[in-house]
């Protein structure tokens, strides 16, 4: 398994406007629910339709439990929890949900097994070299 990258020019908007170059990971495509279901069904005794039904139900239950404020722990996949970013106020009485919460997001924490894999590093190759 290798991860593709490209070299990208970025301008520094703070201080001197000198360009910087970074390595940027490049996505190689998207796997949809049907393809994922088929792939999983090839590795077990379940039919792809059954796997797809479970994955669809997982999405709905993930939404429900995250909206309830729960942390959803999916074992080897990792944990998901709801969060939000907002704006501070000078006093607690100045805070309100409508004014101070700017956007909601989902935090993902990979499982320990996946963290170790990331820490060990992945093979990478430059875009256009394969």
């Amino acid at each position: 398994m290798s991860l593709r990258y490209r070299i990208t020019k970025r301008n520094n908007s703070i201080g001197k406007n000198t360009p910087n170059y970074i390595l940027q990971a490049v996505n190689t495509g998207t796997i949809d629910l049907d393809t994922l279901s088929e792939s999983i069904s090839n590795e077990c005794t379940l039919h792809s339709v059954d796997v797809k039904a479970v994955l669809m139900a997982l999405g709905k239950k993930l939404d429900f439990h995250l909206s309830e404020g729960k942390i959803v722990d999916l074992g080897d996949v990792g944990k998901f929890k709801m969060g939000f970013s907002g704006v501070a106020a000078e006093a607690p009485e100045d805070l309100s949900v409508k004014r101070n919460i700017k956007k909601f997001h989902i935090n993902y924490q990979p499982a320990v097994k996946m963290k170790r894999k990331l820490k060990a590093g992945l093979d990478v190759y430059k875009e256009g070299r394969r």
Side-chain angles (χ1 to χ4, degrees):
M1 178 172 78
S2 296
L3 187 62
R4 186 189 311 180
Y5 73 89
R6 74 170 58 115
I7 297 174
T8 305
K9 181 180 176 182
R10 294 277 169 100
N11 288 323
N12 183 0
S13 60
I14 302 174
K16 296 179 182 176
N17 200 8
T18 57
N20 293 321
Y21 295 89
I22 62 165
L23 297 177
Q24 182 178 26
V26 177
N27 295 318
T28 57
T30 302
I31 300 298
D32 65 6
L33 193 58
D34 291 331
T35 306
L36 187 59
S37 300
E38 189 68 36
S39 175
I40 292 171
S41 76
N42 289 335
E43 297 180 18
C44 65
T45 59
L46 295 173
H47 192 276
S48 64
V49 174
D50 298 322
V51 175
K52 184 176 179 179
V54 169
L55 292 173
M56 290 172 64
L58 175 63
K60 290 182 181 186
K61 289 301 177 184
L62 194 63
D63 177 34
F64 173 78
H65 290 294
L66 289 174
S67 296
E68 292 283 311
K70 301 233 180 353
I71 295 172
V72 179
D73 186 349
L74 296 179
D76 285 346
V77 174
K79 296 178 184 179
F80 296 85
K81 66 181 178 178
M82 195 73 78
F84 55 81
S85 38
V87 180
E90 291 185 17
E93 54 273 1
D94 295 336
L95 291 171
S96 79
V97 172
K98 289 204 180 248
R99 277 195 316 269
N100 297 90
I101 294 177
K102 294 303 172 191
K103 69 176 185 175
F104 294 90
H105 56 265
I106 296 175
N107 294 321
Y108 167 67
Q109 180 183 6
V112 173
K113 187 177 179 181
M114 195 170 295
K115 282 183 187 177
R116 287 185 183 138
K117 184 176 182 177
L118 293 172
K119 190 172 185 176
L122 298 170
D123 292 330
V124 295
Y125 67 95
K126 188 172 182 179
E127 187 175 49
R129 294 273 172 112
R130 274 197 172 175

